[in-house]
Each structure stands twice: as C-alpha cells, then as structure tokens.
Amino acid sequence: MLERVYSRASILAIEERVIGGDSEIAFELMRRAGTAAYRLMLERFPEARRIQVLCGSGNNAGDGYVLAALAEAESEATGKRIEVLRVGRLPKSGHAAWHAYKMAQEAGVSIVQAKETNGIVFEADLVVDALLGTGVGGALRSSFAEAIQAINASPAKILSLDIPSGMNPDTGSAEGVIVQADATITFIGAKRGMVTGGGKAATGSLVVDRLGLSDADYDAHPGHRQFRWEDVRTWLPRLEADAHKHQFGHLLVIGGDFGMGGAAIMAAQSALRVGTGLVSLMTRPEHIAAALAVCPEVMVIGVSEYPQEILEAQKPNALLIGPGLGEGEWGERLLQAVAEVDVPMLADGSALTLMGEQLGARRVNKPNKLAVITPHPGEAARLLGCGTRDVSEDRFTATAELCHKMEAVTLLKGAGSLIADAHGDESDISICVQGNPGMATAGSGDVLAGIIGGLLAQGRTPMEATLCGTCLHAASGDLAARDLGQRSLNATDILSRLPELLRDLD
C-alpha cells in the first residue's frame, strides 16, 4: 500500500507530537529534510551546475539553507555553484530556521537579499523553491508573489521543498500564484492538496520523506488512502471451474440519444470486458445495428416510447444510466422510468446533469437505489449548485458534500480522482494515483462507467466497485499511453488494454 496523504492539521499535529517544543529536535528534523532534499537534487538533476535557492523566512527556508550548506561543502567535488536569494525577513533568532541560516553562512554560501538584485532574474540550471511552506494562507505579499512569478518564468528546472510555494496544502489551490515545480520533495507526509487537480499538476514528480518518524507517530492521524490497481485487483470475483454466466451478474446500460450512441456502446463493451455475465443496452432504435456490429455479445433494446414496460422485463442486477443519455425529453423519460427500479444504480454524464436540474424548472427525481455517481467537476458543480471553479479549488470538500447530498458513493473524476463512501466523512476520501493527461478524451468516462457498472452487477459493493473500477481504468490508460503516447490516446485504446491487466487474475 502506498503512503497515505494528510491534511495540514494532521501534519501539524504529527510534528507537535514529535517535536513537543524542543528546538533541538526541530532543527534535527530540518537537517534531515535539507539532507534528503540535497540527495534528491543530486539524483534527479545531476546535470545542474548553477543552483539558486530561493528562501523566505520560515521553516521552509530553513530546509533550503541546509541544502545550500551541504551543496557548498561538496561544491569542489560536484562542480556545482550555489547561491541563495533571500526574500523577506531573516528567520527569527533562536528558531530552527535561524540555526540553518547560520549553518549556510558558516559553510560560505553566497546569500543575497533579493531586493538588491533589481528584480529577481534567475540565471541557473536549477531553482530550489524554499520560499513558503504549508503555513501559507490568504493572499500573498507582493514580494512573494513576484518571486513565485519569477520562478515560473525561469527556464531552469524547479525543485520545491515540502510544497510548491503559494499552494494551500489542503486544497492544492491558492488565491494568487503557485510555483509550478518539476519535482517536489515533501516531508513527514504528502499533503492532500498535492495529489489531486491543479495541485497535482503544480507539484510535478512527488517524493515523500518521513524524516525517520516511526509508524506510531502517525497512529492518531490515519490520513487519506492512496490506491493503485495492484492494491485492489484481488477484489474481483474468482472464476470457479463450474462457473456460469448468471453468477457474474446482469448489467443494464441506458443511454445513447441521437448522435451519442457510441458512449453507451463503449460503456456496454467495458462492462463485458470486466467479466459481467450479461450486458443489455437500452438505446435509440437507430443505434441497434451499430451496437450489434461492434459488440454482438450485448443484448440491444431499442426504446422510443413506454420505457417502463421494457425496464420491468429486464431484471438486471445493476443499472448504469447516463452515457450519451442527453438532456432532452427522451433522456428525462428514461431517468424517470428508472427512479423506482429496485437494483443498485450508477448515474453518469447526462443523468447527473438532469438530476442537478431538480433545483431548476424541470424536476427529475433522484433514483431510490442510487449507489454510485461519477461526475466530472462541471457535473459536480451542477449537482451542488455552485461553479465549476468552486469544485476545482477544493475537490475534497466538494466530494464530501456530493456524498452527503446524493447519498451515494462519489467518484470525482480528474487528475488524482477522489472516491468517497456515502456514509463516511471527508477524512475517509481515497485517491487513485494512476492515470495520465491523455485520458482526458471523449468517451473515457463512458468506459470508466461501464467498468464500475459491470463490477456493481457482479456483486461488488458500491465502494469496492468504484475503487477497483477507477484503478483498473487508470492502469489501463497508463498501459495504453506507454504503447501509444498520451497525446494520441482514445477511449477505445483504454478499453482495449483491459484484457491484458485482467489476464493475470485467471
């Protein structure tokens, strides 16, 4: 299992438990942090010859001063030139960061007050960001904002210490600017804002160093779990020698209005690929031929009128509604028809948009057996009655609010997808760490919905189906990107890699 990620409050509580007000312990942890950062710098950026370290005045700056002192001490052996650019006040006398500053001075590090440089211009192969740590809150002072802008404008590679400066550790967002790092080494534990949404992009490659803390130091703060496909693949049902198709469930997929038939077809194909025994597709009659040509194993039902009678005859184990459903009268009728169906239901895409309109002029009832919702930020915003930016700026809070409002397991899609149980709280939110930017393509969400729906039909709990399906989808996307590259990735490429990942389970 991967390292867990933590809120700012949890990190502070862990630090307090370890340090307990002892300045010597505080400096020892700072020395360890600076040493770990220096080693990573040598490993990750071996070609960098001129290194400029940007330091503020707090503990984050102390980490930077330790790194600079170590780099200066070995400069003859490594051939590296080190310079510190200082922004703001000196660290407070007697504090750990002050001792680190003195350590850098005694090592002979060149330390220049940034305002003396007539504006910050980086002439370096590598910029080390030790400007602001996890204590940032509210708008940045102009000197820090200008320094961050200068860092981002530099052609140099960027290594951030603990967290990219300007980032809120809980949300990954900021009121102003955030350093866009190539790599970040974070200490004690990863901050949750660094692993999802815009925070994940700004963090770059992430390395965690616990600074020698023991497992017992974390006992009171379990943090958020991170998952990969390798962690959850054993959750899939076994294939016994006397297996038959009815043991592996029946999923009914509903969607595919005019012009959007492919979405529903891909969802149905994905459900079959993850081992669902039977998959039915309820779609526009005009899409029957296309669906059977692509996937003859799917039972396709054309629906124009009276969907309730057709639904009652299907008797599925789970239902997926939304891929290509559309927001017109046809989609509304189908969503109303499934509202009373007594099987676990996954709502995706247009179904979520229609549900969000409960607060508007058109009323669409939330299905009684709603088990899972899989919104992207725009759909999440419509369900919550807020803006997409509000969701993106605090994905953890938005996910928790969706769970409580919709009373369903919630998957908030995007970089670092978040998964939360309907009956948990914000601290129970889990993160999928796999996936890549190439998966942000039309149809990818339909493939994901089909995977989760298929696992739901096979008897997995809503949380198991969502966690397992999300990780399988992400791992399949990574496998496809490895072979094809991210830029050319299509949804069907993700679908086509599912058998390779599932074959090892047989």
Side-chain angles (χ1 to χ4, degrees):
M1 184 68 70
L2 292 171
E3 291 273 359
R4 299 196 175 207
V5 301
Y6 299 89
S7 67
R8 179 188 174 209
S10 292
I11 291 291
L12 291 174
I14 293 167
E15 287 179 345
E16 178 60 27
R17 174 189 172 117
V18 174
I19 296 171
D22 189 320
S23 60
E24 291 186 7
I25 296 176
F27 179 66
E28 172 58 20
L29 291 182
M30 188 172 288
R31 188 192 61 77
R32 293 180 191 178
T35 301
Y38 175 60
R39 288 172 180 162
L40 179 68
M41 183 189 80
L42 295 178
E43 175 188 328
R44 192 65 58 90
F45 304 100
E47 302 302 321
R49 285 292 173 264
R50 183 167 182 185
I51 298 154
Q52 290 179 302
V53 184
L54 193 68
C55 291
S57 55
N59 287 337
N60 193 240
D63 302 336
Y65 284 124
V66 172
L67 178 148
L70 295 173
E72 182 65 32
E74 297 186 0
S75 59
E76 288 190 14
T78 63
K80 298 183 185 297
R81 294 172 55 200
I82 312 298
E83 181 183 53
V84 169
L85 296 178
R86 184 168 62 80
V87 176
R89 301 182 304 272
L90 283 171
K92 291 182 181 179
S93 179
H95 287 211
W98 169 261
H99 293 299
Y101 168 71
K102 299 302 289 183
M103 177 181 173
Q105 269 193 326
E106 291 167 6
V109 175
S110 171
I111 302 175
V112 179
Q113 176 66 32
K115 68 180 181 182
E116 297 171 2
T117 64
N118 192 27
I120 300 174
V121 178
F122 291 104
E123 298 175 353
D125 305 310
L126 175 68
V127 173
V128 177
D129 161 32
L131 185 62
L132 295 166
T134 57
V136 64
L140 299 176
R141 296 206 303 269
S142 60
S143 57
F144 288 100
E146 289 168 7
I148 292 173
Q149 290 169 345
I151 292 173
N152 290 339
S154 168
K157 295 292 185 180
I158 301 168
L159 170 64
S160 284
L161 306 190
D162 202 31
I163 192 168
S165 289
M167 181 185 292
N168 182 308
D170 283 333
T171 67
S173 62
E175 291 187 18
V177 289
I178 300 175
V179 167
Q180 303 295 308
D182 294 289
T184 300
I185 179 167
T186 194
F187 309 119
I188 297 180
K191 290 69 183 171
R192 71 183 200 179
M194 306 167 75
V195 298
T196 189
K200 184 179 177 70
T203 298
S205 176
L206 178 61
V207 175
V208 179
D209 194 297
R210 289 173 49 159
L211 306 183
L213 271 61
S214 70
D215 290 343
D217 294 322
Y218 297 80
D219 285 347
H221 304 278
H224 300 279
R225 295 174 298 172
Q226 298 189 94
F227 285 93
R228 301 165 300 185
W229 166 238
E230 292 80 4
D231 301 316
V232 297
R233 63 181 189 168
T234 55
W235 296 0
L236 294 185
R238 289 188 58 182
L239 297 178
E240 303 293 349
D242 60 348
H244 56 85
K245 63 185 178 184
H246 294 291
Q247 287 179 309
F248 301 106
H250 175 197
L251 177 69
L252 174 59
V253 179
I254 301 177
D257 200 354
F258 292 129
M260 296 179 285
I265 293 169
M266 285 189 291
Q269 286 180 286
S270 302
L272 279 173
R273 279 297 184 196
V274 296
T276 311
L278 295 165
V279 177
S280 298
L281 170 59
M282 187 180 288
T283 188
R284 285 281 190 181
E286 290 80 359
H287 296 142
I288 293 176
L292 292 175
V294 172
C295 194
E297 299 90 345
V298 173
M299 297 177 288
V300 191
I301 307 135
V303 178
S304 294
E305 303 291 339
Y306 312 115
Q308 192 69 51
E309 296 175 10
I310 300 172
L311 270 171
E312 291 171 357
Q314 295 308 304
K315 297 181 172 57
N317 298 105
L319 191 149
L320 162 59
I321 186 165
L325 183 70
E327 299 166 28
E329 185 181 349
W330 184 78
E332 278 195 63
R333 267 204 325 271
L334 285 168
L335 187 56
Q336 289 284 26
V338 304
E340 304 300 324
V341 174
D342 194 30
V343 296
M345 187 179 310
L346 187 158
D348 179 61
S350 303
L352 297 174
T353 297
L354 290 171
M355 288 180 194
E357 292 175 352
Q358 291 181 83
L359 302 175
R362 295 189 296 172
R363 291 194 61 82
V364 179
N365 293 327
K366 185 181 72 173
N368 290 338
K369 300 290 284 188
L370 187 62
V372 181
I373 59 172
T374 56
H376 58 55
E379 292 157 350
R382 286 189 282 273
L383 288 169
L384 293 173
C386 63
T388 302
R389 182 175 178 178
D390 298 321
V391 172
S392 297
E393 286 186 345
D394 193 346
R395 286 169 55 84
F396 280 88
T397 296
T399 302
E401 290 178 352
L402 282 166
C403 284
H404 295 145
K405 181 171 184 176
M406 304 303 291
E407 300 178 298
V409 169
T410 297
L411 162 62
L412 181 58
K413 296 184 287 194
S417 292
L418 303 182
I419 305 102
D421 198 320
H423 305 295
D425 58 32
E426 191 170 315
S427 65
D428 295 323
I429 294 173
S430 299
I431 305 113
C432 173
V433 299
Q434 291 172 295
N436 63 82
M439 298 175 70
T441 185
S444 177
D446 303 309
V447 172
L448 172 59
I451 292 170
I452 297 172
L455 297 177
L456 201 59
Q458 292 175 59
R460 300 301 90 186
T461 68
M463 190 65 177
E464 288 173 345
T466 306
L467 262 174
C468 190
T470 302
C471 292
L472 174 57
H473 176 260
S476 187
D478 286 343
L479 199 59
R482 183 196 68 187
D483 297 335
L484 304 172
Q486 296 179 10
R487 199 173 300 273
S488 299
L489 211 59
N490 290 327
T492 49
D493 299 323
I494 302 170
L495 173 56
S496 69
R497 295 315 194 275
L498 293 174
E500 186 172 345
L501 289 169
L502 294 168
R503 182 176 55 213
D504 294 339
L505 300 179
D506 296 340

